[in-house]
Amino acid sequence: MRKMQVRLSRAMRNNIHGFWMVICLALVIILPVTMAAGLYWKSSVLLHENSLLSLVFSKEWKPISGQFGFYPFIISSVWVTMAALLFAAPICLLTSIHLTQYAKRWVLKVMHPVIDILAGIPSVIFGLWGILVVVPFIGNYLGPWLGKQVSGYSILAGAIVLAIMIIPFVLNILIEVFKNIPDELTEASLSVGATRWQTVKFVLLKKGMPGIVAAFGLGMSRAFGETIAVLMVVGNVTRIPTGLIQPGYPLPALIANNYGEMMSIPLYDSALMLSALILFVVVLIFNLISRYIIIQCDEKC
Amino acid sequence: MKAKKIEEKFFRVLMFLSTMFICMVLFLILFSILRSGLPYLSWEMISSVPSGGYYFGKEGGILNAIIGTLYLSLGSTLLAFVTGLPVALMMNVHLASMPRFVNSIRLILDLLWGIPSIVYGAFGFTIMIYLGIRASLLAGIITVTLFVLPIMIRAMDEALKTVPKGLLEAALSLGSTRSEISYRVFFKQCIPGMITAVLLSFGRAAGDVASVLFTTGFTDHIPTSLNQPAATLPLTIFFQLSSPIEEVRQRAFAAAVVLVIIILFISILTRVLSRKYHKNRINF
């Protein structure tokens, strides 16, 4: 009898746990759909009155008179993201090759916590560092050197801060990519007389190319959505930027800067939610493509 | 022959420099934050709440933000743990025979991880409007939970993935139920990974601004219930930095030092704990 009872309670526990598990899993699976639906629900008010294309390509941003053109913000976002990727990409690539092919054990032992800590630093700290170091550097040295009077709050400052922020993220994926390439390939290349660097150049980079592209894609979408650190150093001027040391106003910064007054102007909240939706969709598409490449790559290996 | 050697040398130097660069940057960031903030850090700063005229440079501290950050991160880490652990276990124990399905869940989680926190903040705001709650600790906890949930599940999943399949089969053949296998075998086997996952999420929750910007509001008081707004450290830094008054900006520097110390402490704790519990693992 006692044995029966014990068995029953075990089965019960199993069932209760199973039930809770399924609920949690369902929550995770529907979360992205709910997010898209929720953001669309809030932004549909604005979309009813204007078409998406006209909003994206319109240059006029005057919330008071109901004109919401996202073009300057989108262009600023593209500038900052591209510049950040341009700075971060070579450093990540070189370091990941160094760490996986050349580095001694102690270097790995040092670099592992360094990358972890760098990845864990909150974005507001990066922003503060940008204000303390990067912005004065551009304002006091780089600007005058180029013969321009600038405050230092610029696309370039945002891109430098962003580049540092995405380095640990991209680096981790790249290390993973190079580790996944079978050792036999490098060994074969070395045994036919190629130098280490030739092996890297002709075998590793070629074999790892899809993974490298995917890593940069993921880094790019991370940079595209980063908010606070960029907002703090980028200047926030609503104008289409034409150069790197001019101020810009990326999309995430727009949302973060104006949430306070969005309820007091009609359609303003709808416009901000629409920019969140645009961010969501763009980042999702970039992520999806990159992940797809990585999965394809893993299956081949 | 010669050119080949020179090229290799050249790139080896470049690689070494870029590795050094990353170390230097971390050092530089920590150094410049500490240098600008440490002179203004005092016991009063971290032990008192802002008093009248604080935002014009009068006395007061950031205790409200420190406590608010702890409440918010603890609450959301706990919620994410309670909902995340079953999912991670299910993916590795219950669905072990359906790798395709598990991989698509992993894909969804990776996608969620990639979504910027400001989007979570905006989404949290729409939930708030939908449910009719105002900016409060509760709304912040819900938003941050959604934000850290994919991070936590994926980190746990990475740990659980390493458990050999033989262990699952052995436990099943002895007559264990799946929930027993989950908690008594898989969970115990992966305690270092679990600690890493929880602390990683805690650090993320403590450091993020964009997701709480809309949802927690801001207050000078220490919240006493879930319905009250709360201040967090990153928000305090962010707001005080935009002040034109020098004293207030200096306090932002000091608050940044506090935040950096918390994050570094969590990072060191992760290493120590996971090394400590690693010994208890069965090795194969």
Side-chain angles (χ1 to χ4, degrees):
Chain A
M1 193 60 207
R2 195 166 155 264
K3 211 172 175 185
M4 269 309 283
Q5 219 172 8
V6 171
R7 287 200 89 159
L8 198 69
S9 79
R10 279 177 68 203
M12 280 268 278
R13 252 184 294 166
N14 191 28
N15 287 344
I16 294 170
H17 175 239
F19 184 65
W20 175 238
M21 227 165 40
V22 172
I23 291 180
C24 293
L25 184 67
L27 175 84
V28 170
I29 292 178
I30 61 168
L31 184 58
V33 184
T34 332
M35 277 174 92
L39 292 176
Y40 181 74
W41 169 62
K42 285 301 288 176
S43 55
S44 60
V45 189
L46 184 66
L47 283 173
H48 273 306
E49 295 184 9
N50 305 282
S51 77
L52 181 63
L53 279 180
S54 72
L55 284 172
V56 169
F57 288 108
S58 156
K59 296 183 181 72
E60 293 298 315
W61 179 264
K62 290 184 187 115
I64 311 267
S65 54
Q67 284 179 302
F68 299 100
F70 290 109
Y71 191 69
F73 307 106
I74 292 174
I75 293 300
S76 287
S77 271
V78 171
W79 272 85
V80 172
T81 310
M82 284 310 194
L85 192 66
L86 218 60
F87 295 143
I91 293 173
C92 290
L93 202 54
L94 287 169
T95 309
S96 61
I97 294 173
H98 184 67
L99 292 183
T100 50
Q101 304 300 318
Y102 291 94
K104 301 209 172 62
R105 275 189 93 83
W106 69 268
V107 179
L108 290 178
K109 261 197 181 141
V110 174
M111 284 308 284
H112 208 73
V114 165
I115 297 171
D116 274 1
I117 293 174
L118 201 58
I121 292 180
S123 52
V124 77
I125 300 293
F126 280 106
L128 181 57
W129 174 71
I131 291 178
L132 287 172
V133 177
V134 181
V135 169
F137 170 75
I138 294 173
N140 299 337
Y141 298 102
L142 198 65
W145 187 66
L146 292 170
K148 282 176 191 157
Q149 271 304 315
V150 285
S151 66
Y153 291 91
S154 58
I155 300 258
L156 182 63
I160 292 174
V161 171
L162 258 186
I164 306 294
M165 289 185 73
I166 62 171
I167 278 177
F169 179 70
V170 176
L171 194 56
N172 272 331
I173 305 173
L174 280 180
I175 289 175
E176 214 43 49
V177 166
F178 286 126
K179 267 191 191 159
N180 274 349
I181 294 173
D183 283 338
E184 288 81 17
L185 282 176
T186 45
E187 279 160 14
S189 165
L190 288 173
S191 68
V192 294
T195 62
R196 196 88 215 187
W197 174 248
Q198 282 172 327
T199 308
V200 168
K201 202 163 64 170
F202 296 116
V203 179
L204 281 180
L205 285 185
K206 215 168 231 177
K207 192 81 186 142
M209 201 31 105
I212 295 170
V213 171
F216 290 160
L218 290 175
M220 208 157 98
S221 62
R222 172 112 332 175
F224 194 69
E226 179 47 48
T227 314
I228 295 298
V230 184
L231 161 76
M232 285 161 82
V233 297
V234 86
N236 303 326
V237 176
T238 316
R239 199 182 53 190
I240 299 169
T242 51
L244 270 183
I245 52 170
Q246 287 185 357
Y249 204 160
L251 212 50
L254 171 76
I255 309 173
N257 253 346
N258 296 301
Y259 75 100
E261 57 223 63
M262 71 180 175
M263 298 312 275
S264 47
I265 300 169
L267 288 179
Y268 206 177
D269 58 331
S270 192
L272 292 188
M273 290 303 155
L274 180 63
S275 35
L277 185 64
I278 295 175
L279 265 183
F280 176 83
V281 172
V282 170
V283 167
L284 206 65
I285 291 174
F286 266 102
N287 265 301
L288 207 57
I289 297 172
S290 309
R291 292 286 174 198
Y292 180 75
I293 296 174
I294 289 183
I295 290 170
Q296 286 290 311
C297 204
D298 280 352
E299 274 173 10
K300 254 190 235 160
C301 286
Chain B
M1 203 61 193
K2 202 84 183 162
K4 189 165 99 174
K5 282 270 164 15
I6 293 171
E7 190 187 328
E8 168 134 21
K9 262 270 165 349
F10 174 72
F11 276 99
R12 284 202 68 162
V13 170
L14 266 189
M15 280 188 249
F16 180 73
L17 285 180
S18 67
T19 311
M20 285 308 293
F21 172 79
I22 293 176
C23 292
M24 285 293 293
V25 162
L26 177 68
F27 179 73
L28 191 69
I29 291 174
L30 295 180
F31 175 75
S32 59
I33 299 288
L34 290 180
R35 199 191 58 176
S36 63
L38 273 182
Y40 308 111
L41 194 64
S42 62
W43 180 243
E44 191 205 347
M45 269 288 298
I46 52 174
S47 63
S48 55
V49 297
S51 51
Y54 173 76
Y55 294 101
F56 301 105
K58 297 265 175 56
E59 65 265 24
I62 50 165
L63 185 68
N64 62 327
I66 297 175
I67 300 289
T69 302
L70 288 183
Y71 280 170
L72 188 79
S73 327
L74 278 178
S76 52
T77 310
L78 196 71
L79 257 181
F81 184 75
V82 171
T83 46
L85 181 64
V87 177
L89 288 171
M90 183 178 189
M91 283 162 65
N92 288 286
V93 178
H94 296 65
L95 301 175
S97 52
M98 289 189 261
R100 280 198 89 88
F101 183 49
V102 173
N103 277 336
S104 45
I105 299 173
R106 282 194 185 121
L107 178 66
I108 292 178
L109 289 169
D110 283 339
L111 292 180
L112 281 173
W113 190 343
I115 290 169
S117 58
I118 186 91
V119 175
Y120 281 98
F123 176 62
F125 182 73
T126 61
I127 298 182
M128 259 167 58
I129 292 178
Y130 191 73
L131 296 179
I133 42 179
R134 53 197 185 95
S136 60
L137 192 56
L138 179 69
I141 287 179
I142 292 175
T143 313
V144 176
T145 302
L146 295 180
F147 171 60
V148 297
L149 188 60
I151 300 174
M152 187 178 286
I153 299 179
R154 270 311 257 135
M156 286 175 169
D157 178 45
E158 284 299 322
L160 289 169
K161 251 190 341 198
T162 60
V163 177
K165 218 174 163 172
L167 214 54
L168 173 69
E169 283 157 6
L172 271 180
S173 69
L174 289 173
S176 317
T177 63
R178 297 227 175 212
S179 64
E180 282 167 349
I181 300 174
S182 296
Y183 291 103
R184 294 199 183 150
V185 181
F186 273 63
F187 182 70
K188 271 196 183 153
Q189 184 74 358
C190 296
I191 282 184
M194 297 295 159
I195 293 171
T196 311
V198 168
L199 288 175
L200 182 74
S201 314
F202 188 87
R204 279 295 144 88
D208 194 63
V209 194
S211 59
V212 295
L213 200 55
F214 295 96
T215 45
T216 49
F218 196 81
T219 174
D220 285 349
H221 305 287
I222 295 172
T224 49
S225 85
L226 282 174
N227 291 322
Q228 289 179 355
T232 73
L233 261 179
L235 267 182
T236 308
I237 299 170
F238 181 58
F239 286 151
Q240 293 186 357
L241 267 182
S242 52
S243 161
I245 299 162
E246 195 53 34
E247 280 85 10
V248 181
R249 283 168 64 87
Q250 286 165 354
R251 286 202 188 113
F253 299 157
V257 174
V258 176
L259 184 60
V260 165
I261 289 172
I262 292 178
I263 297 291
L264 285 182
F265 175 72
I266 291 173
S267 172
I268 293 167
L269 194 68
T270 314
R271 279 171 191 284
V272 172
L273 284 181
S274 71
R275 193 162 302 161
K276 187 176 164 210
Y277 285 101
H278 215 77
K279 284 184 293 197
N280 301 345
R281 220 183 134 114
I282 308 166
N283 286 310
F284 291 89

